[in-house]
Amino acid sequence: MKLPDWYWLSSAVLAAYGFLVVANNETEEIKDERAKDACPMRLESRGKCEAGECPFQVSLPPLAIQLPEQFGRIQEVFKEVQNLKEIVNSLKKTCQDCKLQADDNRDPTPGEAGDNRVQELESEVNKLSSELKSAKDQIDVLHGRLEKLNLVNMNNVENYVDSKVANLTSVVNSLDGKCSSKCPSQEQIQSPLIQHLIHKDCSDYYIIGKRSSETYRVTPDPKNSSFEVYCDMETMGGGWTVLQARLDGSTNFTKTWQDYKTGFGNLRREFWLGNDKIHLLTKSKEMILRIDLEDFNGVKLYALYDQFYVANEFLKYRLHIGNYNGTAGDALRFSKHYNHDLKFFTTPDRDNDRYPSGNCGLYYSSGWWFDACLSANLNGKYYHQKYRGVRNGIFWGTWPGISEAQPSGYKSSFKEAKMMIRPKHFKP
Ligand SMILES: *[C@@H]1O[C@H](CO)[C@@H](O)[C@H](O)[C@H]1NC(C)=O
Ligand SMILES: *[C@@H]1O[C@H](CO)[C@@H](O)[C@H](O)[C@H]1NC(C)=O
Ligand SMILES: *[C@@H]1O[C@H](CO)[C@@H](O)[C@H](O)[C@H]1NC(C)=O
Ligand SMILES: *[C@@H]1O[C@H](CO)[C@@H](O)[C@H](O)[C@H]1NC(C)=O
Ligand SMILES: *[C@@H]1O[C@H](CO)[C@@H](O)[C@H](O)[C@H]1NC(C)=O
Ligand SMILES: [Ca+2]
C-alpha cells in the first residue's frame, strides 16, 4: 500500500508549524491552529475545507512571508563577514607600509617569533573564513530544503554563523594588535598562505599529487574529527571518496541505525563509511555521486548524479540527489511512486520509510533511503548467484533485463557495487 500524497504534505506542514513557533512569536494564529486538533476541522473553520480535499488546501502563505526575514538576517551576517575580510586586507596593507617605513629608518628586522605569530593569525583568519563559507554553503543547502520541507531550525544556523563571526572578529582584533606593534617582513607577508593543510576529501589529496588508490585521512569539517577514507584515484580521472563498496559478501550489511551512523566493514574491501561522515563530506562542498555496478555476466554500468547531499542525524540523514547521467539508469528516481530522493534513512531497527504497515529496512535486510519501499537498494544482502524469495539482494531497478520474469522466480544479483563522491567543480 502506498501513502496518499496528502499525508506526506500535511505531516510536513505540521512539522513546519513547530519551526515557526520557535522562529517567531508573532505567529499567534499559527500557534492557535496547532493547539487545535490536526487538519480537517481547522481548515473547515477557516472556510477553506471541502469534503475529503482539505489537506490539499493547507495554507502555506505564512511561510512565504516568514522566510525572507530569516534569510535577510543571514545576508546581514555575511555582509559583516565581508567587512571583516576587508579589514584584514587593509591590515595586511598597513603592515606592508609599516615594513617599508621601517626599511627607510633602517630599523633592525623584527624577530622570528613575532613574524610567526602574525602568520599564524593570518592562517587562522583564513581557516575561519573558509569555515564561514562552509556555513554559507550549508545554509544554501538548507534554504533549498526549506522550500521543500520546512523542518529546519534556523536558530541553530544563526547561532552557528554568529559564533563564527564572533570568533573571526576576535582574531581580527588580535591581529590588529600584533600589526601595530610589530612589522612582519615583506617576504612573509607575500608568501602564499598555506591553503591545503586540511584535506577535506580525496580530491584534495589528488590536488597535491597523490595518485594511488588507497586509504587517506580526511577532515571535511575542521570542527569535527578526521577519519580514514578509501580514495579511488583511477575512475573518471580520480579524486573520488568512496562511501560504500560491495565485492564479495565479506561484510554483513544487515545492521542497526547506530552501525550505519558510525560506519562498518573494511575500507579496503566491503564497507559503509557511516552516515555522520557522509553528512560531513557532503555538507561543506557541492558533491556529485557516482555509482558503479557489475553483474555476474561481467556487465559494468554506472550512474552519475550531479548533486549528492545527506542531511544530519536530526533530519534522519535525508537523501538529496541531483540530475542523473550514465548507463545504468536512474533507479534512485525510478518513478513518481518509487523515488529515493528526499527520503529519510531507514534501518531494520529504525523505521523512517514511507511504507505505513511495516519497516522496509527490516523486510529487505538493509539500511537505505527507503520509499515504500524500493527501486534501488545497494545495501541489500550479498548473493553469490541468482536467488529466490524476497528481493532483498543488492538491487538496481533500471538494470537491463532485471525486471523480466525469470524461470522459477529467480532474481539476479550483483557481483560488485560501489558508491563514491567528488566535488562538483573538481577537474582532474
Ligand atoms: C517575542 O517575545 C519576547 C518575549 O516574550 C518579546 O520581548 C519580543 O518583543 C517578542 N518579539 C516579537 C517580534 O514580538
Ligand atoms: C572560538 O573558537 C575557539 C576554538 O578555536 C572555541 O573554543 C570558542 O568556543 C569559539 N568561540 C565562539 C564564540 O565560537
Ligand atoms: C547478518 O546480520 C544479521 C543481523 O545480525 C543476522 O540476522 C544475519 O544472520 C547475518 N547474516 C549473515 C549472512 O551472517
Ligand atoms: C561530528 O560532531 C557531532 C557533534 O559534535 C557528532 O555527533 C558526530 O558524530 C561527529 N561526526 C564525526 C564523523 O565525527
Ligand atoms: C552525460 O555525461 C556525458 C559524458 O560525460 C556527457 O557527454 C553528457 O553531456 C552528459 N549529459 C548530461 C545530460 O549531462
Ligand atoms: Ca514504515
Side-chain angles (χ1 to χ4, degrees), residues 351 353 355 358:
D351 184 350
D353 62 37
Y355 181 69

Side-chain angles (χ1 to χ4, degrees), residues 346 351-360:
T346 286
D351 184 350
N352 298 316
D353 62 37
R354 297 191 65 210
Y355 181 69
S357 51
N359 177 338
C360 300

Side-chain angles (χ1 to χ4, degrees), residues 302 324-326:
Y302 73 94
Y324 162 84
N325 191 3

Side-chain angles (χ1 to χ4, degrees), residues 249 251-256 259 348 365 381-382:
T251 294
N252 188 339
F253 274 64
T254 307
K255 297 274 187 181
T256 63
D259 292 330
S365 308
K381 284 190 181 178
Y382 192 95

Side-chain angles (χ1 to χ4, degrees), residues 69-185:
E69 289 174 18
Q70 299 293 332
F71 285 100
R73 165 103 181 79
I74 297 284
Q75 290 299 340
E76 281 167 31
V77 174
F78 285 117
K79 266 181 217 149
E80 244 173 273
V81 172
Q82 202 49 46
N83 288 341
L84 286 170
K85 276 185 167 174
E86 275 162 27
I87 293 171
V88 171
N89 284 338
S90 83
L91 280 170
K92 274 168 76 176
K93 177 96 173 37
T94 311
C95 279
Q96 285 175 340
D97 292 344
C98 178
K99 169 63 170 63
L100 291 176
Q101 217 178 321
D103 279 349
D104 284 348
N105 297 339
R106 306 213 180 278
D107 277 349
T109 47
E112 284 259 302
D115 297 342
N116 289 344
R117 179 69 188 134
V118 172
Q119 207 179 359
E120 231 171 73
L121 286 166
E122 280 196 351
S123 80
E124 208 174 327
V125 170
N126 232 30
K127 203 178 99 192
L128 281 164
S129 38
S130 92
E131 274 182 35
L132 270 164
K133 188 184 169 299
S134 298
K136 185 188 179 310
D137 290 351
Q138 203 183 342
I139 285 161
D140 286 346
V141 172
L142 289 172
H143 188 183
R145 210 156 67 226
L146 263 171
E147 286 172 354
K148 290 168 186 158
L149 176 65
N150 306 283
L151 250 174
V152 79
N153 186 343
M154 279 307 298
N155 290 342
N156 283 349
V157 179
E158 279 183 353
N159 291 345
Y160 177 71
V161 174
D162 282 350
S163 79
K164 287 289 157 204
V165 172
N167 248 352
L168 187 53
T169 309
S170 83
V171 172
V172 169
N173 287 345
S174 71
L175 184 58
D176 193 7
K178 273 294 156 201
C179 246
S180 47
S181 58
K182 281 243 175 189
C183 288
S185 79

